[in-house]
Amino acid sequence: RKEVEQDPGPFNVPEGATVAFNCTYSNSASQSFFWYRQDCRKEPKLLMSVYSSGNEDGRFTAQLNRASQYISLLIRDSKLSDSATYLCVFPGGGNKLTFGTGTQLKVEL
Amino acid sequence: DTAVSQTPKYLVTQMGNDKSIKCEQNLGHDTMYWYKQDSKKFLKIMFSYNNKELIINETVPNRFSPKSPDKAHLNLHINSLELGDSAVYFCASSQVSDGYTFGSGTRLTVV
């Protein structure tokens, strides 16, 4: 099983839709996770940290299901500007972060 | 006031050449990294330095040599460039268990 697995997409959704991505991980010892956003030809940027209690920031909600070893990202009321690749990330040893291959989201009019 | 800056932004060079990419961070972070993002968009760690000391060295050809003169700088030197080295190279920094701050990337094309 890969360390981190994500559905590559693309997810094509209309503006205003709710969309959710999942990411599965294999290292059951991982304690914290992150979602990063990467726009085309840009660097990844931290979107949210994911704790055991979940995390909500405006239209974005991240949750952790430790029993099934996946994290999720829910985006409500999608905007055109949400179009990007969303990377699931978890820490390894020595401050190392392991990145998933990303899920591409395209929000359309 | 760029937090993590890397130069150059674009680099086109011929096979066999030697090139360097520079990275500087003004965030006061202790740890710096080099990541490679290939054509399939997969981000893979190459090196990590903590306070000038190498702590992560993933299976990277020894043609790649990182150098950290101080904790705010981490440079990457590549010898005898090959076609397969073409990718986007990202520098990043972090403090303890915080997320990373990435530089804007160096797009390397080997022809």
Side-chain angles (χ1 to χ4, degrees):
Chain A
R1 184 178 183 179
K2 289 183 182 176
E3 287 182 288
V4 183
E5 288 200 73
Q6 291 184 255
D7 182 341
F11 283 59
N12 297 313
V13 303
E15 216 178 1
T18 295
V19 62
F21 314 130
N22 281 347
C23 167
T24 58
Y25 62 94
S26 60
N27 184 354
S28 58
S30 296
Q31 294 296 313
S32 59
F33 303 84
F34 304 95
W35 281 103
Y36 274 71
R37 169 194 169 130
Q38 186 172 25
D39 291 282
C40 188
R41 302 180 78 86
K42 299 283 189 183
E43 73 272 24
K45 291 186 178 175
L46 179 64
L47 178 66
M48 298 182 78
S49 302
V50 188
Y51 308 111
S52 56
S53 57
N55 195 4
E56 185 170 331
D57 183 4
R59 298 181 293 109
F60 297 82
T61 301
Q63 290 192 315
L64 166 63
N65 185 317
R66 205 177 285 283
S68 302
Q69 291 187 216
Y70 74 86
I71 65 171
S72 63
L73 178 67
L74 181 79
I75 306 174
R76 289 179 295 277
D77 188 22
S78 301
K79 311 289 184 195
L80 292 175
S81 58
D82 294 334
S83 298
T85 297
Y86 291 84
L87 302 163
C88 164
V89 184
F90 74 93
N95 285 351
K96 166 185 164 182
L97 291 182
T98 298
F99 286 77
T101 50
T103 297
Q104 190 179 8
L105 172 66
K106 294 181 180 179
V107 181
E108 301 163 332
L109 285 171
Chain B
D1 198 20
T2 308
V4 181
S5 59
Q6 53 181 112
T7 55
K9 196 171 175 65
Y10 298 96
L11 185 53
V12 181
T13 188
Q14 289 186 323
M15 280 174 55
N17 283 351
D18 303 338
K19 291 293 177 186
S20 291
I21 308 171
K22 295 186 175 182
C23 179
E24 176 181 1
Q25 54 99 0
N26 62 8
L27 297 166
H29 288 167
D30 286 332
T31 311
M32 295 185 73
Y33 312 82
W34 279 109
Y35 273 75
K36 177 181 179 180
Q37 189 168 41
D38 59 26
S39 56
K40 294 183 179 175
K41 308 299 182 191
F42 181 52
L43 260 171
K44 187 170 169 56
I45 191 166
M46 301 173 69
F47 301 103
S48 172
Y49 270 73
N50 183 272
N51 229 338
K52 302 193 298 175
E53 185 180 335
L54 179 67
I55 55 170
I56 294 174
N57 183 349
E58 298 286 296
T59 0
V60 177
N62 57 17
R63 298 182 295 103
F64 290 78
S65 51
K67 280 191 173 56
S68 181
D70 55 63
K71 76 171 195 177
H73 294 84
L74 180 61
N75 304 322
L76 183 65
H77 187 77
I78 315 170
N79 288 329
S80 303
L81 278 154
E82 300 177 358
L83 292 176
D85 297 332
S86 296
V88 181
Y89 292 83
F90 285 103
C91 176
S93 72
S94 74
Q95 189 71 1
V96 194
S97 59
D98 292 346
Y100 291 179
T101 301
F102 282 88
S104 57
T106 295
R107 188 170 297 272
L108 171 66
T109 304
V110 182
V111 297

